[in-house]
Amino acid sequence: MKPQRIVVGLSGGVDSAVSAWLLREQGHEVHAVFMKNWDDALDTGWCSAAEDLRDCEDICATLDIPLHRVNFAREYRERVFAAFLSELAAGRTPNPDVLCNREIKFRAFLDHALALGADALATGHYARTARTADGHVQLLKGLDPGKDQSYFLHALEQRQLAPACFPVGALPKREVRAIAARLGLVVHDKKDSTGICFIGERDFTQFLAQYLPAEPGPMRTPDGECVGTHRGLAFYTLGQRQGLEIGGRRGGSGAPWFVAGKDRETNTLIVVQGSDHPALLAAGLRASKLSWIAGEAPALPYRCSAKIRYRQADQPCTLLAIDGDTARVRFDVPQRAVTPGQSVVFYDGEVCLGGGIIDAAGD
């Protein structure tokens, strides 16, 4: 690839830092941009932005590349956070990182990068791209199976992927850290961020309580027996074990309790005992808001694999009839905790085909 001006989204982490160095070593004119996506006014004392910015300044000084700053807090609040709260209030479990990639990093940020005269945009995602013979861009899995992040990028369109590059997508994480250490980058041993980006290491329930009202209701078994009281359906997700606070019961099995469903009409949380309870399993699902990397759906029925959560092993399945932007998915093996609001992402080998939002479990 001939030398280009490439704008790198620098997060203050090791992956984007090494991405910037790799591009500079390839002879490109590299500019780093630090995005502020969370509004301090919405917070109550926790925010890593200041620390991340200091790390970005150190990285850019070490690599001798310019650093720009941009504030997308308004866009994030309107396009990501509002949708996140709306979905939770509806009893679903959204994945804001998918929406952030589509609406912020590869829309608002992409527009900003192009305004800076960029030929391409780079991030530290563990993913890859490839061109087909007809010029379409494919999204491929990152080569490190433990770090592949194509799941979070499945909702991108051709125009968003065309100028994108993922420099660390072909590297294992250990090599990325080794490069950073060799370069003396301050972030070479910085802990990876986990969980939802704007919540970070904070308690999820305490954070949500600032924005969603507590609406306590009964916790019942599928047979209708009341075994406790929940804080509000929005604070729980299917398959959840921790935080149920169900005490021991006379004659009970002693097995742990799990969330198996939500009944919004009666404000009831359905719970079961045992991780392999039949109520936790589903042979298929229905998904909507489908997006396809190639721009169109494959011919159906279609044999492929799918993930219903990040880092899940590929699950063989059949994509069935699509009505508009809705699809049915039947799995070869029943899946545990199929969660409405989460993303189901489809793969053909290493190629990410696209995905959608899970509406409901089904047969």
Side-chain angles (χ1 to χ4, degrees), residues 95-120:
N95 193 321
D97 290 335
V98 171
L99 200 54
C100 178
N101 282 323
R102 190 186 73 192
E103 296 296 330
I104 306 300
K105 293 179 182 176
F106 293 89
R107 192 179 303 277
F109 178 43
L110 176 58
D111 291 343
H112 183 77
L114 295 176
L116 291 174
D119 299 302

Side-chain angles (χ1 to χ4, degrees), residues 4 30 56 78 86 92 133 138 192-193 205-206 232 235 242 281 293 300 319 321 325 329 357:
Q4 296 180 312
V30 178
C56 287
E78 294 174 355
S86 177
R92 293 152 66 95
Q138 291 181 317
D192 288 344
S193 59
T205 299
Q206 291 180 4
F235 301 98
Q242 301 298 327
L281 300 175
I293 298 294
L300 300 180
L319 261 172
D325 71 342
V329 181
I357 305 300

